[in-house]
Amino acid sequence: MSGGLEKTGHHYFSLIEAVGRMGLFLLQCLFRAATPPVKLYPVVQQIHFIGARSSWVVVTAGLFTGMVVALQFYDTLVRFGSVDLLGSAVALSLIRELGPVITALMVTGRAGSAICAEIGIMRISEQIDALECMGIDPYRFFLTPKLLAGLVAVPVLTILFDLAGLVGGWFVGVVLFGVGEGTYVQGLRGGIEWNDVAMGLVKSIVFGGLIVWFCAAKGYFLHYERAGAFGPEGVSRVTTNAVVLSSVSVLFADYLIGSLML
Amino acid sequence: MNAHRHSSDTVVEVEHLVTHYGERKILDGINLRIRQGEIMAIMGGSGAGKSTLLRHILGLSPPTRGAIRLLGREMTGLRSKELYAIRRKIGVAFQGGALLTSMTVGENVALPLREHTRLDRSTIRIMTRLKLEMVNLSRAENLMPAQLSGGMLKRAALARAIIMDPAVLFFDEPSSGLDPISAVELDEMILRLKQAMNMTIVVVTHELQSVLTIADRITILGGGRIIMTGTVDEVRNSRDEYIRLLLDRKPRTDTESGESYLRRLTDGP
Ligand SMILES: Nc1ncnc2c1ncn2[C@@H]1O[C@H](COP(=O)(O)OP(=O)(O)O)[C@@H](O)[C@H]1O
Ligand SMILES: [Mg+2]
């Protein structure tokens, strides 16, 4: 009985510890990003890494999402005789909600998991210790560039997703259901306000930060996980955890930002 | 800055070091002094805590208790900037090499120069090739670490560790897992480094032959404590039971009653 209680206590203690570590990790990265020297080339490299891994998945997902959304809206709007709203309905739901969220989930699966596994392997093969021993700060050397890259790459990928989605919506609405081309584009232009774009942008930047933060920190702190987690199983378990944590946090942040900005 | 009875020829000083992994005590009251210019071999069976001791000397893990001074600076409670400054004066070759897998061997070896000096590209390349040449790896410059064998990885790690001409070199298990010829070559390389550059070298190993050829002094770890520190001859002539076993390469002959043996197998930890 008391053993169970003690165990629970230990659990809470280590949970608080883990949260503290994660917070410190973010602060360390942000501090390095704000103080020189910040090298640009590693950031570009990391943007390329995230982009190369995710862009085709994002475009494909965007295309189908746009098609599905157009299909659903068309079916609803045609009953009320307001098909001319199709363009703006598709655009709004993509830009404000679906674009940032689905892109973030795709990036988590493709690039986030890779980031976590890569850093976890660096930890268990003592590559991070080796950096420290060479007097090279791991935060400045590769963690901060990854975080900055996430802040840039995810918004860009989100824009890619939105564009692909609008094309998908155009295909279903205009080509399949015969909505007038002008009507679709008109609705699209007229329905979007700056505020909607800003919301999509803010979301995607925050999501980019969250994904890299959680995935990188989980891999980096692999050695603090419960005993016995070292080695390849440790990497695979920590990667799964990172993907779940990152996805859930994206959905939670989506609600939070939505409720603040609407 | 450091009035703390530090004699200038002491490079590493460990006092009353106690360390744990979780609840498990690994090192228990270690005292160790390594002098400028010597090759100190840290010996002990596998799992004796040799790598752990090394990690603490390098400031990679905080100790439970005790003091560690590296190049005259107290390692506990240092700010990370000072810690990085000290570490630029040392070189470390890890047990598995620990090369960055995302870079070629040449880029790995050049990394400290690229990060810490303002040398131009061609100078860095020449210095990198020089060190690769020293460890007989000149043809591996453009290979990725994944394409190297275990012995090549260790040599590449050595090249990276000495690229900045460090004052102290730490080498974890240089010859374990190598074929005899590579092992002997590596030993010779270590000796050459000491002679040519007057480097202080700390070698962690459980290879007896290697220790007897290269070391000036030997520290033997066992059961979390230091069993003995002394010159090669002193260790050779030691009458300590554990040291005799280690030197004579005999298995432990603990006498254990059948009953306690059974209990050990059936009980939990
Ligand atoms: N990260 C770790 N977590 C928990 N225990 C560890 C860890 N690293 C090493 N140990 C344990 O500490 C002891 C000493 O390990 P180590 O210093 O690597 O030994 P050696 O290098 O002498 O072979 C071993 O029993 C090992 O199981
Ligand atoms: Mg070891």
Side-chain angles (χ1 to χ4, degrees), chain A residues 124 222 225-235 237:
Chain A
I124 64 171
L222 175 72
E225 295 276 317
R226 264 171 294 144
F230 229 59
E233 305 110 86
V235 174
R237 219 195 47 203

Side-chain angles (χ1 to χ4, degrees), chain A residues 26 43-44 72 86 93 133 142 149 158 231 242 253:
Chain A
L26 185 63
V43 181
V44 175
Q72 294 289 345
L86 185 67
S93 50
C133 286
F142 72 99
T158 302

